[in-house]
Amino acid sequence: VATGVRQLKVIGIGAGDPDYVTVQAVAALRKIDVFFFVDKGDDKSELRQLRHAICARHITHDDYRIVEIDDPERDTAAPYGEAVRAWHAERVALWAGALTTELSEGQSGAFLAWGDPALYDSTLRILDDVRADGGLEFDLEVIPGISAVGALTARHQIPLNRIGHSVLVTTGRKLVEEWEDGRRDVVVMLDAHCSFLQLPDDAATIYWGAYLGTADEILISGTIAECGEEIARVRSEARAKKGWIFDTYLLRSLR
Ligand SMILES: C[S@@+](CC[C@H](N)C(=O)[O-])C[C@H]1O[C@@H](n2cnc3c(N)ncnc32)[C@H](O)[C@@H]1O
């Protein structure tokens, strides 16, 4: 029986293309005894299958286990901040329980984070609280991954920033208020409502990408005036067809 501290890795697996998995991530995958897959229980089973496929493709032994952790439902009726806090606390308790019962001291466990673990991903925050509130000791290593932002700019063949300019990365929920702040280069993630259509500036260029790095990838670019409505239509058709969508865009206003 192994003794010592539990070893945990959070491994970024890239935002879609299986080839986005880095050599460092592959080396880490091969050292893991137990993978913890967080089951969202929604239509994104494709993402779950991709995690299984990544393990099957890169791990050259079969001496590992996969443990699924159910993701609790978020209370959509409660105010957003409150609902997210309650949801987070529930996840901390579930993860602490799973780590305690499924991973022995001295063993290595891993969470596979979509894209890069540092960008709009709660794995690191939850593990921090598992350590602080759950009192569970572990050593942690984080393996970076190719994010949707990197995938988007590569596929549109554009730099993320203009020389000497800053870039804001934000969510659909905050775009309108932050745009009025005078921002001119903005990456938007997690936007379920095509918030770019609410902007006062339809001369801005949008570089939009859905399902980046996958066989279903869609790319559209042009000014919001030219292609904003088209993006909204294509987005809603694709979402209806597949049951889910992941899309990201960069807005650039030259005014
Ligand atoms: C919870 S965040 C996770 C981001 C991830 N950690 C990363 O580094 O890209 C999910 C959001 O990322 C973006 N995203 C992730 N993968 C994507 C893809 N393949 N194509 C387009 N957008 C993607 C979408 O905006 C989606 O709503």
Side-chain angles (χ1 to χ4, degrees):
V1 177
T3 55
V5 178
R6 292 177 178 88
Q7 310 289 318
L8 271 190
K9 295 188 201 298
V10 175
I11 305 174
I13 55 169
D17 188 332
D19 284 353
Y20 288 164
V21 178
T22 66
V23 175
Q24 189 186 26
V26 170
L29 288 169
R30 292 180 176 166
K31 292 189 194 134
I32 300 304
D33 300 300
V34 184
F35 289 93
F36 294 91
F37 286 5
V38 182
D39 182 355
K40 301 255 186 220
D42 56 14
D43 283 330
K44 294 185 193 138
S45 62
E46 264 184 71
L47 301 189
R48 193 156 57 237
Q49 282 162 18
L50 196 103
R51 287 190 166 88
H52 282 277
I54 283 173
C55 288
R57 170 170 163 190
H58 294 294
I59 303 176
T60 43
H61 57 83
D62 53 13
D63 203 13
Y64 65 91
R65 289 191 301 127
I66 293 175
V67 171
E68 309 247 349
I69 303 179
D70 284 335
D71 210 25
E73 292 274 317
R74 198 168 76 198
D75 181 358
T76 45
Y80 184 73
E82 200 180 293
V84 169
R85 272 191 297 280
W87 185 49
H88 181 79
E90 220 180 316
R91 292 167 112 189
V92 170
L94 276 169
W95 290 31
L99 287 170
T100 310
T101 53
E102 302 289 349
L103 192 67
S104 312
E105 291 180 359
Q107 281 194 315
S108 294
F111 290 85
L112 304 188
W114 187 255
D116 183 80
L119 192 64
Y120 290 112
D121 186 288
S122 33
T123 310
L124 295 175
R125 248 184 310 275
I126 296 174
L127 288 179
D128 236 18
D129 286 351
V130 165
R131 195 186 248 152
D133 307 343
L136 195 77
E137 247 191 271
F138 53 83
D139 289 339
L140 182 66
E141 188 185 2
V142 180
I143 314 279
I146 294 178
S147 73
V149 181
L152 178 78
T153 51
R155 297 298 292 134
H156 279 289
Q157 305 179 359
I158 50 167
L160 177 60
N161 67 295
R162 285 177 295 138
I163 297 173
H165 286 263
S166 57
V167 176
L168 174 73
V169 181
T170 190
T171 64
R173 190 177 289 274
K174 305 199 95 178
L175 173 65
V176 172
E177 65 180 274
E178 287 174 337
W179 186 265
E180 285 167 355
D181 229 357
R183 303 273 185 188
R184 295 197 298 181
D185 293 274
V186 185
V187 174
V188 184
M189 305 176 75
L190 295 157
D191 182 1
H193 303 291
C194 294
S195 308
F196 52 85
L197 292 175
Q198 312 303 321
L199 294 177
D201 180 8
D202 71 358
T205 301
I206 181 166
Y207 298 91
W208 182 78
Y211 313 108
L212 290 157
T214 75
D216 299 312
E217 181 178 89
I218 314 169
L219 301 171
I220 298 178
S221 62
T223 65
I224 297 176
E226 282 162 5
C227 63
E229 293 297 340
E230 180 195 352
I231 292 172
R233 180 179 49 76
V234 168
R235 185 185 192 283
S236 97
E237 285 169 7
R239 187 175 182 281
K241 192 163 151 221
K242 277 178 75 75
W244 63 280
I245 190 160
F246 261 4
D247 61 328
T248 301
Y249 52 92
L250 169 67
L251 294 167
R252 186 158 281 163
S253 164
L254 295 177
R255 277 197 302 159

